[in-house]
Amino acid sequence: LAFIRAMGPRLAAVAPSLEALDKKAGGSLMRIYRDVRFSKDKTPYKTNVGIQFRHVSGKDVHAPGLYLHLAGDEIFLGMGMWRPDREPLRAIREAIAEDPDGWQAVLDDPTFKGTWRLGGESLKRAPRGFDPEHPAIAEIRRKDFIAICTLDRDAVTTPGLVDRVMAAYDAGYDLCGYLCAAIGQPF
């Protein structure tokens, strides 16, 4: 919660549409309980800490935002939109289809490329309504529009975590800005 509080003013200065809510429940800190209803593994608790700085227009993890994942086996930052709902997904795909060079410029930015890599899943075929021969079809097929920045254990256990996280996020804000513009939201 102290990390979330420290991030609040820093995020407000550069991305005022993202929220840093330092509440134990219903804020940026994700719940520690797992949904075990449909899982063979009935372990009640998660083995990771998830912190999301979500867009003010969003109500869940599918909104544009920034993410910090802390687990024993992996530590990473994320940004973008994970599994957007149907309408935002279609809007993003249409934005890429209409201006593939704009999307590619975000991905080819040297600062972005030096810090982030794209992650997530993609469809095997072109989504309905999109030309399978479109030059950016690989990007249009994405289900997730997220970028990942891997951190090592020292990055999160030594002083300066907020500065390191903000430096990484600064390198990728164009991605979030593009996605927010595509879905008609301010960034």
Side-chain angles (χ1 to χ4, degrees), residues 12 15 54 75 77 118 135 171:
R54 188 175 24 242
I75 301 168
L77 298 174
L118 290 182

Side-chain angles (χ1 to χ4, degrees), residues 2-102:
F3 171 75
I4 295 167
R5 278 190 291 277
M7 290 291 291
R10 302 280 298 270
L11 285 173
V14 292
S17 293
L18 299 182
E19 294 183 306
L21 302 174
D22 64 340
K23 302 187 313 188
K24 288 184 180 179
S28 294
L29 182 64
M30 299 174 103
R31 64 181 170 75
I32 62 168
Y33 302 104
R34 293 178 60 242
D35 183 354
V36 296
R37 292 176 294 171
F38 308 106
S39 175
K40 290 180 183 176
D41 177 5
K42 299 298 183 187
T43 308
Y45 297 105
K46 292 181 181 178
T47 58
N48 71 286
V49 172
I51 297 173
Q52 184 187 29
F53 303 109
R54 188 175 24 242
H55 196 278
V56 294
S57 69
K59 295 179 178 23
D60 57 22
V61 297
H62 307 290
L66 309 174
Y67 179 71
L68 170 64
H69 181 94
L70 302 166
D73 59 343
E74 65 179 340
I75 301 168
F76 65 88
L77 298 174
M79 69 168 26
M81 292 181 73
W82 180 75
R83 301 286 158 87
D85 291 331
R86 179 180 297 183
E87 288 83 24
L89 178 61
R90 181 129 187 111
I92 294 167
R93 287 175 171 165
E94 286 174 354
I96 293 171
E98 290 170 13
D99 183 19
D101 294 337

Side-chain angles (χ1 to χ4, degrees), residues 3 7 11 48-53 65-71 74-82 112 114-120 145-153 155-156 160-173 175-176:
F3 171 75
M7 290 291 291
L11 285 173
N48 71 286
V49 172
I51 297 173
Q52 184 187 29
F53 303 109
L66 309 174
Y67 179 71
L68 170 64
H69 181 94
L70 302 166
E74 65 179 340
I75 301 168
F76 65 88
L77 298 174
M79 69 168 26
M81 292 181 73
W82 180 75
F112 179 83
T115 307
W116 298 92
R117 64 178 168 75
L118 290 182
F145 294 90
I146 58 172
I148 306 294
C149 171
T150 304
L151 300 175
D152 60 26
R153 190 172 308 278
V156 296
L161 174 62
V162 172
D163 292 333
R164 282 189 288 283
V165 168
M166 284 304 297
Y169 287 152
D170 286 345
Y173 283 141
L175 175 74
C176 282

